[in-house]
Amino acid sequence: MPGTAYATGSKRWTEFEGLTMAFFRPRVSREAEVRYHADQEAAKGYPAMLEKARVAEREFRAAQGADVPGAELRAAGVALDQAISGALRSAESAQRATFGVKAYDDRIRRRKGRATPEGAKWTAEVDRLRTLREEHRLTGIVRVPG
């Protein structure tokens, strides 16, 4: 291979100027970097999305307690579902960003990311929000005869 240390025939290790490495592999793909930065930006909105979900839940519970008509209760239930889904998407972005940029291309890195305290915290939060959303979808959204 021309340009490598073996191809020059030199026995001295100090003559490496102008030589290249025989193998080069990028650490992460460009797509992974783009997704990582997008997830970091989306994760910044998590507190606002969670607060929006809390407000929607308060409105939904108030509508349940006030015995409002079915259509209004369904609208409040759908609004709560959308708010929880937004918070979940933001939490998933924070989780992926916490795992690191290498985790986008490598399942082992994702597993190692979950094992860190910060990764475990976000994994638990994502699981909690998914459970909350699914429970609400099964029992909270009123079906209105149409």
Side-chain angles (χ1 to χ4, degrees):
M1 288 184 155
T4 64
Y6 297 111
T8 61
S10 173
K11 301 286 185 194
R12 293 183 5 176
W13 290 99
T14 58
E15 297 178 3
F16 289 126
E17 295 169 58
L19 301 178
T20 60
M21 293 180 61
F23 300 100
F24 174 73
R25 183 172 172 213
R27 299 187 87 151
V28 294
S29 66
R30 176 71 57 196
E31 178 186 339
E33 287 182 12
V34 170
R35 290 175 56 201
Y36 175 70
H37 292 300
D39 281 341
Q40 283 181 324
E41 288 300 314
K44 290 179 184 176
Y46 176 72
M49 297 299 278
L50 192 61
E51 184 58 33
K52 184 178 175 183
R54 287 183 181 136
V55 168
E57 183 178 15
R58 279 194 293 270
E59 291 173 358
F60 177 68
R61 300 293 176 211
Q64 277 182 326
D67 199 30
V68 297
E72 291 179 30
L73 189 58
R74 178 173 170 76
V78 169
L80 176 58
D81 181 66
Q82 290 173 349
I84 293 172
S85 295
L88 177 61
R89 280 191 299 275
S90 186
E92 288 170 339
S93 295
Q95 179 189 33
R96 287 189 301 267
T98 300
F99 292 168
V101 69
K102 292 180 182 180
Y104 289 89
D105 294 333
D106 187 8
R107 68 178 179 82
I108 305 284
R109 291 286 182 170
R110 280 192 296 276
R111 192 181 76 203
K112 286 182 177 183
R114 280 188 193 93
T116 64
E118 192 71 15
K121 180 188 95 164
W122 280 110
T123 300
E125 183 66 10
V126 166
D127 290 344
R128 183 185 73 82
L129 286 171
R130 276 193 187 128
T131 302
L132 182 66
R133 183 181 68 176
E134 292 306 314
E135 178 184 343
H136 176 67
R137 284 182 175 176
L138 290 172
T139 62
I141 300 178
V142 176
R143 297 193 188 273
V144 178

